Amino acid sequence: MTKTNASGLSHPMLVYDGDCSFCKYWVNRWRRKTGDKVKYTSFQELPEEFRGTTHAQFRRSVYLFTTYGQRLHGAAAVAALLHLSGHSTWNWLYHRLPLAGKVAEAGYRIVADNRDFFFRLTKLFFRDNPR
């Protein structure tokens, strides 16, 4: 039996757009780094509204639901996810360096709004192609 807590989750869960090639590529990379510490689910597999988040919100950004009830999205979710994978620098910078969070969120928004372009760049710069 898997233990859960007040949030009802036994592991943090990252929710992403399962129709997005860019998203699937990075989720597969992150999955290799986090192993079984994080559950990954496409929003298409969830009810129309899940924990106060709609499909329209999930289309726009990744969301990380923590085991203690926190709901993070965008660059904050990615920084926390990297922290869970053992790479805490980005999370530390996001929360401690003045303006780093705002810059990270602006960068996240640019990438999220231009996923096809950034997926092509990703394939160009990252030779490993996790599927």
Side-chain angles (χ1 to χ4, degrees):
M1 177 188 257
T2 305
K3 282 184 143 182
T4 59
N5 52 29
S7 76
L9 295 175
S10 60
H11 292 83
M13 180 170 59
L14 186 87
V15 180
Y16 64 97
D17 184 349
D19 291 333
C20 168
S21 296
F22 178 83
C23 301
K24 290 188 289 188
Y25 178 91
W26 284 99
V27 162
N28 284 329
R29 285 181 66 92
W30 295 332
R31 185 179 278 133
R32 288 195 325 241
K33 293 180 185 302
T34 59
D36 61 359
K37 294 178 190 172
V38 177
K39 180 181 179 185
Y40 296 87
T41 305
S42 72
F43 79 79
Q44 289 87 348
E45 299 173 25
L46 298 173
E48 179 60 37
E49 184 163 324
F50 178 79
R51 296 180 180 260
T53 308
T54 65
H55 280 196
Q57 291 171 296
F58 287 130
R59 271 187 199 83
R60 197 162 151 70
S61 180
V62 295
Y63 276 78
L64 181 68
F65 296 92
T66 67
T67 56
Y68 47 93
Q70 194 173 17
R71 178 180 69 170
L72 305 170
H73 64 90
V78 174
L81 181 70
L82 291 172
H83 179 72
L84 289 169
S85 74
H87 302 281
S88 58
T89 302
W90 291 111
N91 195 53
W92 186 90
L93 289 171
Y94 183 93
H95 292 288
R96 303 279 190 247
L97 194 63
L99 297 178
K102 290 187 185 300
V103 170
E105 292 299 341
Y108 182 94
R109 191 75 273 131
I110 290 167
V111 171
D113 290 344
N114 299 283
R115 293 177 193 173
D116 291 337
F117 171 75
F118 283 99
F119 183 54
R120 287 192 295 277
L121 279 182
T122 296
K123 290 191 309 185
L124 181 66
F125 288 104
F126 294 89
R127 296 290 177 198
D128 68 322
N129 193 6
R131 291 271 173 207

